[in-house]
Amino acid sequence: TKARVTEVQGFIGKYEVHIETESGLTNIDIGVIIVATGARTLVPQDLYNYDGEWVITQLELEERLKEGLNKNVKNVVMIQCVGSRNDERPYCSRICCNQAVKNSLRLKELNPEARIDVLYPDMRCYGLTELDYRRARLAGVNFIRFDPEKAPAISASEDGIEVTVYDPSIQMDVQLNPDLLVLSTGVVPRDTEELATMLRVPRNDNGFFIEAHAKLRPVDLASEGIFMAGTAHGPKSVTET
């Protein structure tokens, strides 16, 4: 810990890695390298009036559910694809829809009378998580699809939060007044430009590492003897990671 790779030389079976630590520079000889730099959740500082108190992320909601959610929270609105599937980050972050459905079901368990509205451009509950999506619908969670060109509008005042979204099913604007607004934020890569240059391995336009071959060598990087694991490759659920 508290160490940084400063230089990588050599080849498979005979890599020499220079590591800078608090006590100085250390050189080690190793056979292979595993890149597991991971990713992080986007912090939506300038999106949807995020304040970390009444407008929070799904991860922050999970922390509150664990600690004990305020009993006055009875109406919750969730907005999907915050910070991803846009011009800056065109990719799907994969975990957001499943996370929203899971947390919606948990809120319904705590308070079956709670109103939960999930605003989404697309719900992508792939695999067996489609069953959780169905459970959420049956539990009364309301899903409203919106056009990304007409993103929900947020206004905040002393009286609370107001969310306005166009509902194509009834072809009119819907106004919601949640006690809590939850943003399903995207997954973004860590800053690995310096590391990728040292290892001489490519990254895609989004900043994630690219495997040698998607089918034949899915965990190998282009340079021999260098492998990757987890979300260094792209957004993944815990199971996929």
Side-chain angles (χ1 to χ4, degrees), residues 41-211:
T41 302
L42 175 72
V43 179
Q45 295 289 8
D46 302 317
L47 299 172
Y48 294 110
N49 295 71
Y50 171 77
D51 60 9
E53 184 176 359
W54 302 110
V55 183
I56 62 175
T57 65
Q58 290 285 357
L59 191 60
E60 290 167 337
L61 173 61
E62 290 184 356
E63 291 171 353
R64 293 193 187 187
L65 288 171
K66 182 179 179 181
E67 295 169 358
L69 190 65
N70 189 323
K71 294 181 180 179
N72 294 324
V73 175
K74 299 178 181 178
N75 297 325
V76 177
V77 169
M78 299 182 180
I79 302 180
Q80 302 303 107
C81 300
V82 175
S84 59
R85 296 189 65 206
N86 53 24
D87 293 338
E88 185 179 0
R89 302 179 192 87
Y91 56 89
C92 172
S93 290
R94 297 177 67 83
I95 64 171
C96 317
C97 291
N98 297 336
Q99 197 176 24
V101 167
K102 178 189 70 175
N103 290 339
S104 295
L105 287 169
R106 179 58 179 154
L107 286 167
K108 278 292 188 180
E109 287 176 8
L110 295 173
N111 182 7
E113 301 302 317
R115 170 167 179 155
I116 303 170
D117 295 275
V118 180
L119 316 183
Y120 69 96
D122 285 304
M123 288 301 294
R124 296 183 171 183
C125 299
Y126 55 93
L128 294 177
T129 55
E130 178 76 17
L131 300 176
D132 290 331
Y133 171 72
R134 177 175 171 78
R135 283 177 57 210
R137 293 295 296 262
L138 292 173
V141 178
N142 187 34
F143 291 84
I144 302 175
R145 186 171 189 172
F146 67 86
D147 187 331
E149 299 297 324
K150 298 180 180 179
I154 311 298
S155 62
S157 66
E158 294 180 357
D159 298 327
I161 306 166
E162 183 175 272
V163 181
T164 304
V165 60
Y166 179 78
D167 187 341
S169 63
I170 58 175
Q171 297 186 352
M172 62 183 296
D173 286 337
V174 174
Q175 290 184 337
L176 304 168
N177 298 98
D179 302 314
L180 197 62
L181 177 59
V182 184
L183 308 179
S184 298
T185 53
V187 173
V188 293
R190 296 191 181 278
D191 182 9
T192 54
E193 182 176 358
E194 182 182 6
L195 180 63
T197 301
M198 280 191 286
L199 297 177
R200 298 180 294 279
V201 294
R203 299 179 304 159
N204 61 24
D205 293 339
N206 301 315
F208 295 103
F209 288 97
I210 303 174
E211 70 274 33

